[in-house]
Structure formats: structure tokens, C-alpha cells
Amino acid sequence: MLLSITTALNAANSEPENPEQVIHQLQLSLLQVMREGEQLGYEGRFKFLETVIDQSHDIDLIIKTILGATYWSQLSEEQQDLIVDTFRQLSIATYAGRFTQYGGEQFQIIEQRILPREQALVRSQLIKSDGGTVNFDYVLHQTEGHWRIANILFDGVSDLAIKRGEYRAILQRDGFQALIEMLKEKIILTQQN
């Protein structure tokens, strides 16, 4: 088991060169963590996926987009650092809590195409063990010469749009600290599932 984890980590540490490779590497890592999910446990899956998510997702851009320029500019530097770190923890925790065991699932990349504003779309499917499918559309952009995920659509529903509505409502109604507490509660919930 340790050998396969080391192999996967080494694969994760080599930088993909195009959007499709970023998604392929992410999905290979998710399958690996599912195959070893029970042996790794939640903490092991979280640790395994940390590097993978850091290399495949633009966490800074995602949380800035969710909050919007107005809210983001109102935060102090300490608050910005705190929300980026907390959101990063939640993102990794969500993967660690959802991809827990393997039952023959496979990912299949359907297409890659270039979008306006120097973005790219990679469309893929998760083929479940019962033959059902879940569509994952990844929107990526380049930052510092590397392609990173900026949004994910699950069966056509934008994760960014859902979080934008939820997070901004909490900010408006209850303030920044309430948003941080809500994110921390979600992290705890991923550990219990």
C-alpha cells in the first residue's frame, strides 16, 4: 500500500502541462484514494489529497470569486489569509470525505476545448459501479504558467454559483466570523460521513 501511495504522490508532484492532464491526474489520484480509502482512513485520505488539490485547484481565485471583489476588498489581510486557508481545508476535506471506497468506478474524459478569457473546459464523467454516470465539467485557467481548476460543474450545476449564494448570504446576514464558523462546521461534518 505504501508503495502505491508513494507512486501516486510522485505522479502528483510532476506538473501537468495542459488542462486535460490536470484533470486526468486529479481523477487518477481520486481513484487511488478510493482504492485505498478504508486502509488510509479519513486522515490518510486528507493527507494524500492535500498536494493533489493544491496542484489542481486555484483555491485563492475560487474563494475570491465566491466572495466577490466588494466583499474581498473589505477583508483585512489576516481575514483574507484565514478564509483562504479555511476554504482550502474544506476543499480537501470534501474530497477526503466523499471519495472513500472503490467499487469499480471509472473516470472518462470526454473532451477538452478552449474558452474565452484564456480558460479551458474539460468535460468528463464518473462511471459508477452500477453503470450510472455523473458529469463533471471543469473550467481551468492558467496561473503562473500552470493550469488550475477555477470552477466545477456537477451535472451542469456550478459549484461556484452555489457557494457564492450561500457564502455571501452568511456574510451579509451574520458577518465574516459566522462564515468561518460555518466552513469549520462543514469540515467537521466531512470527517463524520
Side-chain angles (χ1 to χ4, degrees):
M1 181 176 93
L2 288 176
L3 178 61
S4 59
I5 291 172
T6 305
T7 304
L9 282 174
N10 287 339
N13 286 330
S14 61
E15 279 292 332
E17 295 177 14
N18 67 49
E20 191 173 317
Q21 288 175 336
V22 171
I23 302 310
H24 181 68
Q25 224 168 36
L26 169 65
Q27 292 176 340
L28 279 179
S29 298
L30 292 175
L31 290 173
Q32 181 74 28
V33 100
M34 288 163 72
R35 284 187 181 101
E36 316 227 358
E38 289 185 29
Q39 300 98 310
L40 288 171
Y42 174 84
E43 292 298 324
R45 292 191 306 272
F46 186 98
K47 188 168 179 54
F48 178 89
L49 290 168
E50 255 184 310
T51 305
V52 174
I53 302 309
D54 285 342
Q55 290 187 350
S56 58
H57 292 61
D58 189 341
I59 296 293
D60 287 38
L61 176 70
I62 294 170
I63 192 62
K64 286 177 192 175
T65 305
I66 288 169
L67 297 185
T70 303
Y71 285 118
W72 182 259
S73 65
Q74 292 170 0
L75 299 178
S76 69
E77 193 174 321
E78 291 78 18
Q79 288 175 318
Q80 290 175 353
D81 290 345
L82 178 59
I83 190 109
V84 167
D85 184 59
T86 308
F87 183 72
R88 175 184 172 272
Q89 297 290 323
L90 175 59
S91 299
I92 299 163
T94 301
Y95 280 105
R98 286 191 184 155
F99 291 88
T100 58
Q101 54 189 342
Y102 183 72
E105 297 85 355
Q106 294 298 321
F107 284 103
Q108 179 180 351
I109 291 179
I110 299 166
E111 71 168 319
Q112 172 186 308
R113 66 174 182 245
I114 299 303
L115 298 175
R117 297 190 322 240
E118 299 178 0
Q119 293 185 321
L121 174 71
V122 177
R123 298 185 63 233
S124 74
Q125 283 186 330
L126 171 64
I127 302 160
K128 299 191 284 189
S129 51
D130 64 5
T133 59
V134 181
N135 295 306
F136 291 92
D137 293 345
Y138 299 89
V139 178
L140 299 93
H141 79 119
Q142 272 196 305
T143 177
E144 299 174 5
H146 303 294
W147 287 97
R148 296 286 184 266
I149 296 166
N151 190 13
I152 304 172
L153 289 81
F154 304 95
D155 284 331
V157 178
S158 166
D159 186 53
L160 210 59
I162 291 169
K163 287 184 169 79
R164 184 183 298 135
E166 181 185 8
Y167 292 15
R168 288 184 189 181
I170 292 169
L171 269 177
Q172 285 176 334
R173 189 178 61 243
D174 303 316
F176 177 78
Q177 197 53 46
L179 177 58
I180 294 294
E181 293 309 315
M182 182 274 287
L183 296 177
K184 288 180 176 177
E185 284 172 24
K186 284 181 182 273
I187 292 169
I188 292 167
L189 286 174
T190 64
Q191 298 171 23
Q192 297 168 353
N193 292 333

